[in-house]
Amino acid sequence: MQTTSLTALAAAQLEVARAASAGRSAVTVHGGREHDLRQTLIAMTAGTRLGEHESPGEATLQVLEGEVTLHAGDEAHDLRAGEHGVIPPQRHDLVARTDAVVLLTVATRA
C-alpha cells in the first residue's frame, strides 16, 4: 500500500503557495489516466480565489487546514479544517478566507 502524509504535504504546498505570485499551489495525490479517482491537494493563501468553473462531475472537498468558502449559484458554503463537503454539480468558485489547504476528490469515470 502506498501512503502519503497529508500533513507534511499540506505544509510543503502551503509554503509553495506563499511564495507563488498567484498565491496557490496544487499537487496530485492520487490519479491519472489509468484511474477513476483523482485527488488533488490545493494550498491557497488568504484571499486567493479559484475563479468560477464548471463542476468536474461527482466531487468532494475536505478542508485540511484553514477556512474556505465555496460559492455555487446563489449559495455560499463555509468550510473549516476537519470539514468535508460535496461540491454541487454546477458552476462554482472557491475562496480562501485564511491560508488554507483542501483535498479535492473527483470521480473521473464517465
Side-chain angles (χ1 to χ4, degrees):
M1 177 170 79
Q2 180 181 355
T3 64
T4 300
S5 169
L6 294 178
T7 303
L9 190 57
Q13 289 303 303
L14 196 49
E15 288 305 313
V16 172
R18 288 176 177 144
S21 61
R24 64 182 186 236
S25 177
V27 62
T28 299
V29 176
H30 174 80
R33 290 187 179 140
E34 67 280 2
H35 297 281
D36 294 330
L37 182 70
R38 183 178 67 237
Q39 293 181 299
T40 306
L41 186 136
I42 305 168
M44 304 167 63
T45 57
T48 300
R49 175 183 299 268
L50 293 177
E52 190 176 73
H53 53 280
E54 293 296 329
S55 174
E58 190 173 4
T60 63
L61 194 67
Q62 179 179 355
V63 182
L64 303 175
E65 187 173 326
E67 300 176 8
V68 298
T69 300
L70 180 84
H71 299 100
D74 294 334
E75 296 183 17
H77 306 275
D78 294 329
L79 297 164
R80 296 185 171 150
E83 294 184 331
H84 176 271
V86 177
I87 298 175
Q90 64 193 81
R91 289 184 65 78
H92 59 275
D93 73 356
L94 184 68
V95 178
R97 296 192 333 253
T98 66
D99 286 0
V101 181
V102 299
L103 182 66
L104 171 67
T105 301
V106 177
T108 61
R109 186 180 306 176

